[in-house]
Amino acid sequence: MLNNLPKKVTIVEVGPRDGLQNEEIFVSTENKIEFINKLSESGISKIEITSFVHPKWTPQLSDSLEVAKRIKRKSNVEYTALLPNLKGLEKAIDSGLKEVAVFMSSSESHNKKNLNRTISESLKNIEEVVNVAKKNNINVRAYLSTVFGCPYEGYINFNSVKEIVLKLLDLGVYQVSLGDTIGIANPKQVRDFLNVLFEDIKEKNKLALHFHDTRGMALANSLIGLDMGITTFDSSLGGLGGCPYAPGATGNVATEDLVNMLHSMGIETGINLDKLVEINRFMEKVLGRVLPSKYSKTINATKRTNLN
Ligand code: HMG
Ligand code: MG
């Protein structure tokens, strides 16, 4: 193990979307914009800035269009947004995004709760989105949720999950991010599942990993993915986040913790870790609570006075 580590890894920062969609307080539009602008200055190359879903489903991101239009875009950063259908894509086009992310689940019950659709209806929606996105020169990434376990159905058969991953790639998404929505995966399961996928998917950059850290296993799971050749990982600044339609799910792996692990093993990300800690302090002030990132907690320990 650890003989095949890559030299460089791409981090997709999902804090402004996956993180803020699940915070109890509504983060003001100004603070969201400042958060994203600060992330743009940290060396992160891709940021998921918001989602264009029905505001009733994630009211915390109901200002998505304004956020997307008002952030300061840097030429060396790619900006993307999550969306479920053509209605969401219209807003992405309106805001000038060049990349979007679609999403669905590998379990019927979670798909129904999260999208009010069956798996086959979601695939149809995604096909429509990919077709229109392509005509508008927009790249499409996909998330597949609950691949390591569903809060309603338990473990899902690897081969049925693989079937959906292959369908998504056939539809024309450039990458599928495998979502451990409720943070239930373990390293052996990640290894076994990736081996099943690699039987049919030879280009490993078509896959990414998206670990929530509910049970503290996200770094261990990431390490297995890394050792097996995965080089794109999603994470949230500070460990913000969760999924409103997955009870008990907590935040993504913290970007600082993942970047610290990678850098300390000599793997490049292009990200300035000190800047991430500064952004963590900013977001702790905005949210009025200490965020889960272990790395930021350590660095902040001597400097913390109060949150205001
Ligand atoms: P629905 O109720 O079936 O929608 O919800 P509908 O098609 O029947 O339309 C109802 C109304 O919604 C209509 O408006 C539509 O125009 C409107 P009305 O005629 O009543 O005025 N509508 C929309 N409005 C704004 N934006 C849209 C949109 N689409 C339709 N895009 C729907 C279906 C998909 C809309 C809904 O289920 C939804 O918005 N779901 C989003 C749920 C969500 O955001 N979940 C969290 C993100 S997923 C996640 O966190 C997991 C991930 O991180 C990976 C992992 O961790 O595993 C990605
Ligand atoms: Mg997620």
Side-chain angles (χ1 to χ4, degrees), residues 134-254:
K134 288 212 159 141
K135 286 188 189 129
N136 286 276
N137 295 318
I138 294 174
N139 293 322
V140 186
R141 186 177 195 241
Y143 289 99
L144 186 57
S145 292
T146 64
V147 301
F148 298 103
C150 165
Y152 312 105
E153 292 178 35
Y155 292 106
I156 312 296
N157 177 281
F158 285 162
N159 281 305
S160 21
V161 183
K162 178 166 77 173
E163 217 175 286
I164 305 178
V165 174
L166 294 174
K167 277 186 187 152
L168 286 167
L169 291 171
D170 270 358
L171 291 181
V173 308
Y174 76 86
Q175 185 175 64
V176 178
S177 183
L178 306 165
D180 182 19
T181 318
I182 54 170
I184 188 104
N186 67 66
K188 181 177 177 301
Q189 189 192 12
V190 173
R191 186 200 62 189
D192 293 349
F193 180 50
L194 287 177
N195 276 329
V196 170
L197 290 177
F198 291 165
E199 289 164 3
D200 294 279
I201 299 167
K202 302 299 169 203
E203 292 168 82
K204 295 182 178 175
N205 63 359
K206 289 197 177 295
L207 299 172
L209 288 166
H210 179 104
F211 291 117
H212 284 264
D213 201 23
T214 318
R215 291 165 183 77
M217 303 265 251
L219 282 182
N221 291 332
S222 303
L223 189 60
I224 289 288
L226 202 60
D227 198 42
M228 292 182 71
I230 301 295
T231 53
T232 305
F233 294 83
D234 305 343
S235 60
S236 269
L237 193 282
L240 291 162
C243 176
Y245 299 98
T250 58
N252 302 81
V253 63

Side-chain angles (χ1 to χ4, degrees), residues 17-18 21 51-58 82 84-85 87-88 91 103 114-117 143-146 179-181 210 212 242-245:
R17 191 281 302 171
D18 207 340
Q21 79 183 8
S51 68
F52 296 118
V53 302
H54 194 294
K56 185 185 77 187
W57 293 65
T58 56
L82 188 80
N85 53 20
K87 179 127 192 160
K91 292 186 185 160
F103 61 108
N114 203 29
L115 284 151
N116 198 26
R117 296 286 181 273
Y143 289 99
L144 186 57
S145 292
T146 64
D180 182 19
T181 318
H210 179 104
H212 284 264
C243 176
Y245 299 98

Side-chain angles (χ1 to χ4, degrees), residues 71-86:
I71 54 166
K72 223 182 281 164
R73 296 196 198 167
K74 291 198 66 181
S75 57
N76 57 342
V77 180
E78 290 174 322
Y79 299 92
T80 177
L82 188 80
L83 50 90
N85 53 20
L86 285 176

Side-chain angles (χ1 to χ4, degrees), residues 16 20 33 53 55 89 123 142 171 181 185 208 230-231 243 254 271 288 294 299 307:
L20 298 188
I33 292 170
V53 302
L89 183 63
L123 284 166
L171 291 181
T181 318
I230 301 295
T231 53
C243 176
I271 297 173
K294 289 204 166 44
I299 303 297
L307 291 172

